[in-house]
Amino acid sequence: MALSYPFPTPPAAGEAHEVAPGVLWLRMSLPMAGLNHINVWAVADAAGWTLIDTGMQTADTAANWQSALAGPLQRRPVKRVICTHMHPDHIGMSGWLTRQHDCRLWTTRLEYITCRMLVADTGREAPADGVRFYRAAGWDEAAIEHYKARFGGFGKAVHALPDSYRRVVDGEELAIGAGAWRAVVGRGHSPEHLCLYAPDLKVMISGDQVLPRITSNVSVFPTEPDADPLTEWLESLAAIKGRISDDVLVLPSHNEPFHGLHERLDALIEGHERRLEAVAGELAAPKRAVDVFSALFRRPVGVEMLGMATGESIAHLNCLIGRGAAQREPDAAGVLWYRRP
Ligand SMILES: [Zn+2]
């Protein structure tokens, strides 16, 4: 059985498609070669709209929003902005929208706080802990210089955040218009990722927690080198299967709306288990994080993707350590070597 896509044609910039009663699908462009769009959603609310996710801070996104607000959103007021998580393509324009419409940002606490923390890195020098982390993973000096030069880029893609927010907690019911939407929190891609589930409408807004055609990045970052986000990710996917019924139309942040939630969750879990096995298979002889890329990625990893690839690689290695299937030891230079116990 394959996933099915009842709305195969995405809306053009500034346009909207209704995918469920009162639920509009809009698209914002992203300035990235690999991933050129993010889906955002407008849900009819009392005398206006609740928007879910906002796009990255760019002039294009501002223009997209202006034509959407004047066109399919009929200049009705924006009552509230909900963000699934703190990545710039989701939260980037939240401050721009909430200030313009004098409304509030709603999200989970860790997404809001983590975003404030990352935005505050803009203008700072790359920290010694970060340099140590990537050297330990096996990076050479050219890669370290690239990291230092790019450090703090997060904040440039985020319009000044609102200085306060409304916290959403797992399990909470949000009333949007006549509909009840349940907050379902997942972890691993971001610290406290918010999905919204409307059982009556049979709709789930999945953010980056469940994507139909690509896999979400699950990474370890220098701020918490021993984190095990992959275990959290796998637990979250299994929990979602128990909490959200299989008959929903899933509205993901990338690609198209689809049916087949449980099948997709199973496939995502199986894919990571296969990759964990492949990485474990590499550890007969000691390896660094950068030495197991071939077990994880089909294509060679260039310098642009090195940070993400290293984060994913360490996520798989830390998960194996948690399962007792790997151990690691630093050498005299501080580089970490992983092998089977
Ligand atoms: Zn994301």
Side-chain angles (χ1 to χ4, degrees), residues 283-304:
L283 303 183
K287 296 278 163 62
R288 303 166 302 174
V290 296
D291 298 328
V292 298
F293 286 168
S294 60
L296 291 168
F297 311 110
R298 264 176 244 137
R299 274 167 288 175
V301 174
V303 71
E304 286 301 323

Side-chain angles (χ1 to χ4, degrees), residues 315-334:
H316 284 79
L317 290 162
N318 283 1
C319 180
L320 288 171
I321 290 173
R323 293 179 180 191
Q327 59 189 43
R328 66 171 189 212
E329 220 172 319
D331 64 16

